Amino acid sequence: MLMKVHGVRVNRAPVLTLWAAIVAERLGFDREEALTLGRVVAGLDAYSKGRALGLFTPRPKTVRQMRDRLETGGTLRVDLLGRAVPAIQTPEGIRALSNGKPVSPEAVERYLESKFGETLPAVEKAMRALARAFPPAELARRAYELYESFRPSVPEGLRGWGAAGTLDLDKIEAMARAARNARSRVMAANHRRRARFSRGSEVPVPG
């Protein structure tokens, strides 16, 4: 049974790494690919000139198409959480690049386990629920905004550099519920509009 966790003391880098990896999975990458992308996102502090370099915007369908046509050794830049992540196609799949070398997904797993410890499954569960609460296209657009809403609070400036704060899982779960409820209301409203249109189209036109 998964332990109930309300909050975790952790710094921001592993939180961003894990969230970016989960978003990448939701957008169509497999687990190992996503882990490497997430690790590099956390290491990039500015949006590079990606669009001038052939930036790839991931969606589940486009990821499949890109993976099929990208040859081993082929490179690309992946648009993820406002970062242009350099990546390469390897025999094992797509891997993000750090200092020109493919990132090891196993190393990212060990990094996350060392930072979150036994709370990692609970943190992953909360983040996955939040990611699933949005359609992929909307999640891709809002992923960093969502991260800013739940990331641990740390002091401003140099005092906060590498400092630990509390990651509030209750807040992440509440955000997921709110997003699901909002999506349900939109779907219900769309259904009602379609129903009214359908009934209206059946009204006989006077001759």
Side-chain angles (χ1 to χ4, degrees):
M1 182 178 178
L2 191 65
M3 63 183 292
K4 179 62 178 175
V5 179
H6 297 281
V8 181
R9 290 288 294 178
V10 64
N11 61 38
R12 287 179 173 179
V15 174
L16 181 54
T17 298
L18 180 58
W19 173 241
I22 286 172
V23 170
E25 277 194 83
R26 177 77 169 121
L27 297 181
F29 292 96
D30 67 30
R31 170 73 174 178
E32 293 186 337
E33 292 171 342
L35 284 169
T36 71
L37 292 166
R39 188 70 178 103
V40 174
V41 162
L44 295 173
D45 58 8
Y47 196 85
S48 68
K49 297 177 182 178
R51 297 200 180 279
L53 298 171
L55 187 64
F56 171 74
T57 303
R59 300 289 186 274
K61 182 178 179 180
T62 59
V63 169
R64 289 193 300 271
Q65 293 171 340
M66 178 273 303
R67 189 186 287 118
D68 289 341
R69 67 171 181 263
L70 190 65
E71 297 180 358
T72 299
T75 60
L76 69 158
R77 286 181 181 264
V78 179
D79 183 1
L80 187 63
L81 272 77
R83 307 298 192 265
V85 183
I88 189 170
Q89 176 76 292
T90 74
E92 292 76 33
I94 295 166
R95 297 290 182 266
L97 294 170
S98 178
N99 296 320
K101 297 181 180 180
V103 174
S104 163
E106 293 78 16
V108 184
E109 286 275 21
R110 291 192 296 270
Y111 166 74
L112 292 173
E113 289 166 359
S114 72
K115 296 298 183 181
F116 289 103
E118 63 182 2
T119 68
L120 180 57
V123 176
E124 279 204 61
K125 180 181 178 182
M127 288 187 180
R128 287 187 186 283
L130 180 58
R132 287 195 299 267
F134 295 90
E138 183 178 357
L139 177 64
R141 186 174 66 253
R142 298 186 57 191
Y144 195 80
E145 168 198 331
L146 293 168
Y147 164 72
E148 289 181 314
S149 297
F150 67 70
R151 67 188 178 184
S153 296
V154 298
E156 295 292 332
L158 290 175
R159 289 178 56 241
W161 187 262
T166 299
L167 177 65
D168 189 342
L169 299 195
D170 291 337
K171 181 175 184 178
I172 296 174
E173 291 168 358
M175 289 170 64
R177 285 194 299 271
R180 287 194 299 269
N181 290 340
R183 190 176 177 186
S184 294
R185 287 194 295 272
V186 169
M187 292 175 66
N190 289 339
H191 178 74
R192 287 194 296 271
R193 280 196 295 270
R194 286 195 298 268
R196 286 198 298 270
F197 177 80
S198 177
R199 289 196 298 272
S201 66
E202 294 172 2
V203 175
V205 178

